[in-house]
């Protein structure tokens, strides 16, 4: 178990809410844009509770088989190999399904019986039902605004979870995060946050994703290690946001004026 606590600055009552959710053995859902600290929060809470954390980054090919397990050929015999979900259920770990809405629909079906009073997992290929360990906790995250509702969680699924919304912190808190995470000086941290705030308000550019706190941390790390400020902003903030030449040029011009 990692003894160094991941850095996390609470924004609201999310720590208290998670502790009580865990105590009551309820599933937990994190909603919010990418890079707002959802994954870091779960790492922090797993450390606080001294529990093993198993993370699965979901994508369009993630299936229930990937999570539950499969038969594999080992030498001359066929053996069953537990997937991350089955492992977490058996040993009482926290299972974190990052961007769960990206996964195939059969993943949602597979976790249903773990999100209600039953707290059990049916392993179809073995014909077995596994009761969840006392300490097992199911956590999922998704980005409600991603691609204008292209991938959404059904209301019937969302209502099985205790849910908390994550968003970008206020400017003062975000600057504090940058200083604590990277060792950058406070005035530069403030300028980076000002750039982020400005870009986040530029809705007319039609960006799929906007500036996350994660991107700001990356830029701050580059600056702190000696890369010129404007270049750091260009490569860590502007370039990851778009491939459109005109949009990139506009964002570069804007950021150059601010740092």
């Amino acid at each position: 178990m990692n003894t160094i606590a991941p850095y996390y600055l609470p924004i609201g009552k999310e720590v208290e809410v998670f502790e009580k959710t865990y105590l009551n053995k309820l599933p937990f859902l994190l909603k919010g844009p990418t890079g707002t600290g959802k994954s870091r929060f779960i790492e922090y809470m797993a450390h606080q509770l001294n529990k093993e954390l198993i993370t699965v980054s979901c994508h369009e090919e993630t299936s229930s088989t990937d999570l539950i397990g499969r038969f594999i050929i080992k030498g001359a015999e066929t053996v069953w190999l537990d997937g991350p979900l089955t492992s977490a259920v058996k040993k009482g770990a926290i299972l974190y399904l990052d961007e769960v809405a990206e996964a195939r629909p059969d993943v949602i079906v597979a976790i249903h019986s773990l999100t209600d009073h039953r707290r059990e997992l049916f392993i179809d290929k073995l014909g077995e039902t596994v009761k969840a360990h006392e300490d097992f906790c199911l956590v999922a995250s998704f980005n409600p605004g991603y691609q204008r509702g292209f991938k959404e969680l059904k209301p019937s699924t969302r209502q099985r979870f205790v849910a908390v919304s994550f968003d970008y912190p206020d400017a003062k808190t975000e600057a504090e995060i940058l200083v604590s995470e990277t060792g950058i000086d406070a005035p530069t941290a403030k300028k980076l946050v000002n750039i982020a705030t400005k870009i986040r308000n530029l809705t007319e550019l039609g960006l799929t994703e906007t500036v996350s706190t994660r991107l700001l941390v990356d830029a701050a790390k580059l600056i702190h290690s000696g890369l010129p400020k404007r270049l750091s902003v260009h490569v860590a903030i502007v370039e990851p946001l778009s491939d459109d030449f005109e949009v990139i040029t506009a964002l570069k011009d804007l950021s150059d004026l601010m740092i």
Side-chain angles (χ1 to χ4, degrees):
M1 189 68 67
N2 185 8
T3 53
I4 301 169
Y7 176 77
Y8 180 77
L9 188 65
I11 306 301
K13 298 284 187 185
E14 67 271 28
V15 171
E16 189 181 342
V17 172
F18 186 86
E19 286 173 345
K20 298 302 183 194
T21 302
Y22 182 83
L23 191 67
N24 285 284
K25 300 177 175 47
L26 298 169
F28 192 80
L29 180 66
L30 300 157
K31 303 189 295 179
T34 184
T36 49
K38 300 189 296 294
S39 298
R40 179 63 66 88
F41 170 67
I42 291 304
E43 289 171 13
Y44 173 78
M45 291 311 306
H47 185 275
Q48 293 297 100
L49 296 166
N50 197 29
K51 298 297 172 192
E52 181 182 351
L53 175 65
I54 298 174
T55 299
V56 177
S57 297
C58 299
H59 52 81
E60 59 203 17
E61 296 299 321
T62 305
S63 68
S64 60
T65 298
D66 295 326
L67 294 184
I68 294 171
R70 50 169 52 89
F71 285 105
I72 61 166
I73 296 169
K74 198 172 184 182
E77 56 179 353
T78 304
V79 296
W80 173 260
L81 184 68
D82 283 341
L85 175 60
T86 307
S87 294
V89 165
K90 286 180 178 177
K91 61 186 175 184
I94 296 174
L95 181 81
Y96 177 43
L97 299 176
D98 191 15
E99 298 295 355
V100 69
E102 294 291 308
R104 283 165 40 173
D106 61 331
V107 166
I108 302 298
V109 174
I111 64 173
H112 262 192
S113 56
L114 286 165
T115 59
D116 58 27
H117 66 282
R118 291 171 289 179
R119 276 176 58 86
E120 60 187 30
L121 175 67
F122 179 61
I123 304 176
D124 185 34
K125 288 174 182 167
L126 297 177
E128 287 179 14
T129 298
V130 181
K131 277 281 183 191
H133 186 286
E134 192 76 2
D135 294 338
F136 170 74
C137 179
L138 178 65
V139 181
S141 75
F142 90 112
N143 182 352
Y146 180 64
Q147 292 186 349
R148 296 173 181 79
F150 176 64
K151 294 275 183 121
E152 285 287 355
L153 275 185
K154 290 179 182 175
S156 58
T157 302
R158 284 204 309 270
Q159 288 173 23
R160 290 171 170 267
F161 291 82
V162 171
V164 170
S165 289
F166 274 59
D167 207 341
Y168 305 109
D170 62 72
K172 182 173 178 292
T173 303
E174 196 161 35
E176 192 180 324
I177 290 169
L178 296 188
V179 172
S180 298
E181 277 273 275
T182 69
I184 197 172
D185 62 276
T188 304
K190 190 176 178 183
K191 285 178 182 174
L192 288 173
V193 171
N194 288 343
I195 289 170
T197 304
K198 189 78 173 173
I199 294 174
R200 286 167 189 164
N201 291 329
L202 291 175
T203 51
E204 65 272 17
L205 288 180
L207 296 170
T208 307
E209 298 280 1
T210 190
V211 184
S212 66
T213 306
R214 183 189 298 142
L215 291 186
L216 293 185
V217 168
D218 291 346
K221 283 179 178 175
L222 294 177
I223 292 168
H224 188 253
S225 62
L227 200 68
K229 291 178 183 177
R230 286 181 176 177
L231 180 57
S232 297
V233 170
H234 290 175
V235 298
I237 297 175
V238 174
E239 290 286 353
L241 289 178
S242 177
D243 296 321
D244 185 290
F245 177 76
E246 289 183 5
V247 171
I248 288 173
T249 303
L251 292 177
K252 279 182 177 175
D253 292 345
L254 170 72
S255 59
D256 283 351
L257 290 172
M258 299 179 72
I259 197 162

